[in-house]
Amino acid sequence: MKRLSLAAIFLILLGQAGCVSVSRDALNVRTFGAVGDGTTKDTAAFQKALDICAVAKGGEVVVPAGDYLIGSIELKSYTTLRLEKDAHLMGSPDLDDYPVMKVRWEGHWIDGHRALIFAQNAGHFGIVGPGKISGNPALGGREMPRRPVLIEPINCIDVRLEGFATEHQSMWSIHPTYCVNVTAKNLVIRSTGGNGDGVDVDSCKHVRIESCDINTGDDCIAIKSGRGMEGYRAARPTEDVLISHCTLGDNNFACIGIGSETSGGIRNVQIEHCKFTHAKSYAIYIKSNTGRGAFIEDISARDLDVATAPGGFLRINLTGSGIKDPEPVTGDEGIPSAKNFSFRDVKVNCGTLVDAAQTSPVKPINGFSLVEVSGTCKKAITLANLTNAVLRDVHVTGYEGPFLTQTNVQGVGLEEPR
């Protein structure tokens, strides 16, 4: 059967041949009635254009310059939402415009309001700029059902997010969950207030976050995989994540948080060529809790510039981060395992250089290296329960007290001073 173009499908569905001009591969939302005046709700016009793209099995929905007030819209397979220069999507202030469905929130599947831009069981789709997407500040916070995030693909493949800006308040901006092959590139992400994370990667595989400028009210980037027995049974790890050439600033917690929802496991996270302009606590925080179980492994970072981090550069807390789960993973199985943490070529101006004291003697971290570090810090290194540790070429100044405090640590380069 011959594939129909977007234009042909549009004309067939609307029965208006000869009345509109539509290219083969793109639909303009204004053709479908979008006004873009910032007060008229354009949700239906956007969804109609997106649905026709889905029927055509591929194409672009183009958003020209204007202020478009919308509620939740759904992207479907083989569709690209293109925000042209000065195109601004603005979230409706009405919660009724965001249907309630099952969403993942803090490691559990619960009832929550659908995202402003949502996709589920879709593939090969994306959002591209240079326009902007803003959530409504009245809808942030931690009230239940969970408030809407900005962009949330669930169980999707081949997701492209590129070249646009976001603005949100007291709620997550981008939250891929159970997704495979996600690229977030050249994004400018801004949020304010606690709970205002930038990108939360939740039980996903093959994720690339590249050349993004992220300044948030909470974690810039958070890596998660479920909490307690629910996440442990699902066994959906987050793995193969690259964070590269990003500029990160956080106003409440860590720039990059790995955990504390780790019950599905986290592996192979690479952080490289990144600048941390400011962090409220730590630039990088690897965290879990007894009762999470599973694993955190193969975490590497290199070529980092930490300009300001009052808490410190790196904290590892595997026994006491986050709330206790009502259904924990019990016994020794509930103690997270950790291995192969590597940090190299780091420039710092921070509080504590490394705080890795909250670790388990039952399951020590197997493999930790800190190599080629320079700069200033107020406190140096505290390590506990580590095997195969390597400290080499660590040259920092300004700290008080000992360079290294260690408990149950085995490895090389553990002498002081450095």
Side-chain angles (χ1 to χ4, degrees), residues 39-193:
T39 57
T40 304
K41 287 186 181 178
D42 290 322
T43 315
F46 270 70
Q47 195 61 62
K48 186 179 292 184
L50 292 167
D51 289 345
I52 288 176
C53 260
V55 172
K57 300 298 182 184
E60 287 190 350
V61 170
V62 176
V63 184
D67 296 318
Y68 300 87
L69 184 66
I70 60 170
S72 179
I73 58 174
E74 182 177 2
L75 293 184
K76 299 177 182 179
S77 295
Y78 301 101
T79 301
T80 298
L81 182 64
R82 182 174 295 278
L83 310 178
E84 293 188 337
K85 186 177 183 297
D86 297 323
H88 184 193
L89 307 189
M90 304 162 54
S92 161
D94 301 321
L95 268 177
D96 289 344
D97 291 334
Y98 307 83
V100 174
M101 57 174 288
K102 289 296 181 184
V103 296
R104 210 181 206 193
W105 172 246
E106 297 189 334
H108 291 287
W109 289 97
I110 64 167
D111 288 339
H113 290 279
R114 210 171 77 170
L116 181 64
I117 303 177
F118 159 79
Q120 188 166 29
N121 303 324
H124 317 288
F125 65 90
I127 306 169
V128 299
K132 182 177 180 180
I133 304 168
S134 296
N136 195 285
L139 303 187
R142 302 181 65 84
E143 292 86 351
M144 296 293 121
R146 190 211 70 179
R147 295 303 181 100
V149 306
L150 278 186
I151 301 168
E152 190 167 40
I154 299 175
N155 199 39
C156 295
I157 61 171
D158 292 339
V159 182
R160 177 191 177 200
L161 307 172
E162 185 172 351
F164 58 88
T166 70
E167 187 176 80
H168 209 9
Q169 180 173 315
S170 300
M171 193 56 201
W172 298 353
S173 294
I174 299 172
H175 181 212
T177 306
Y178 283 13
C179 291
V180 178
N181 296 336
V182 178
T183 298
K185 186 174 182 180
N186 293 326
L187 303 180
V188 177
I189 298 173
R190 297 289 184 266
S191 72
T192 57

Side-chain angles (χ1 to χ4, degrees), residues 356 359 368 382-391 404-412 414:
T359 56
F368 172 86
T382 302
L383 304 177
N385 304 310
L386 292 168
T387 61
N388 296 312
V390 176
L391 300 183
L404 174 64
T405 302
Q406 54 182 311
T407 303
N408 190 28
V409 179
Q410 300 174 6
V412 299
L414 303 179

Side-chain angles (χ1 to χ4, degrees), residues 121-339:
N121 303 324
H124 317 288
F125 65 90
I127 306 169
V128 299
K132 182 177 180 180
I133 304 168
S134 296
N136 195 285
L139 303 187
R142 302 181 65 84
E143 292 86 351
M144 296 293 121
R146 190 211 70 179
R147 295 303 181 100
V149 306
L150 278 186
I151 301 168
E152 190 167 40
I154 299 175
N155 199 39
C156 295
I157 61 171
D158 292 339
V159 182
R160 177 191 177 200
L161 307 172
E162 185 172 351
F164 58 88
T166 70
E167 187 176 80
H168 209 9
Q169 180 173 315
S170 300
M171 193 56 201
W172 298 353
S173 294
I174 299 172
H175 181 212
T177 306
Y178 283 13
C179 291
V180 178
N181 296 336
V182 178
T183 298
K185 186 174 182 180
N186 293 326
L187 303 180
V188 177
I189 298 173
R190 297 289 184 266
S191 72
T192 57
N195 202 46
D197 290 4
V199 182
D200 288 69
V201 181
D202 204 342
S203 290
C204 295
K205 295 182 179 181
H206 315 313
V207 178
R208 301 292 179 267
I209 304 173
E210 301 177 90
S211 302
C212 292
D213 180 345
I214 307 176
N215 194 326
T216 55
D218 217 310
D219 294 339
C220 296
I221 299 171
I223 311 296
K224 306 168 178 286
S225 67
R227 181 158 61 89
M229 281 304 301
E230 180 182 310
Y232 194 69
R233 291 188 194 103
R236 297 285 295 262
T238 284
E239 53 189 338
D240 186 20
V241 178
L242 173 65
I243 302 168
S244 177
H245 293 93
C246 291
T247 300
L248 306 172
D250 156 77
N251 295 288
N252 189 51
F253 210 70
C255 286
I256 297 177
I258 300 175
S260 63
E261 297 153 29
T262 59
S263 296
I266 295 172
R267 66 161 62 95
N268 191 22
V269 177
Q270 300 178 59
I271 306 162
E272 61 183 29
H273 315 305
C274 289
K275 182 176 179 62
F276 300 76
T277 59
H278 58 280
K280 180 69 172 181
S281 62
Y282 286 78
I284 300 174
Y285 195 166
I286 302 173
K287 48 188 175 174
S288 191
N289 205 334
T290 302
R292 300 280 197 266
F295 54 85
I296 308 174
E297 61 189 35
D298 301 323
I299 310 297
S300 65
R302 64 186 180 97
D303 187 21
L304 308 182
D305 185 348
V306 182
T308 306
F313 163 57
L314 172 66
R315 186 175 182 190
I316 301 173
N317 175 2
L318 303 183
T319 60
S321 179
I323 61 177
K324 292 288 187 179
D325 198 84
E327 188 186 8
V329 182
T330 59
D332 287 353
E333 192 175 5
I335 301 171
S337 65
K339 67 179 182 180

Side-chain angles (χ1 to χ4, degrees), residues 282 309-314 350-355 377-382:
Y282 286 78
F313 163 57
L314 172 66
C350 65
T352 299
L353 180 60
V354 176
D355 178 356
C377 61
K378 295 181 178 179
K379 185 178 179 181
I381 301 171
T382 302

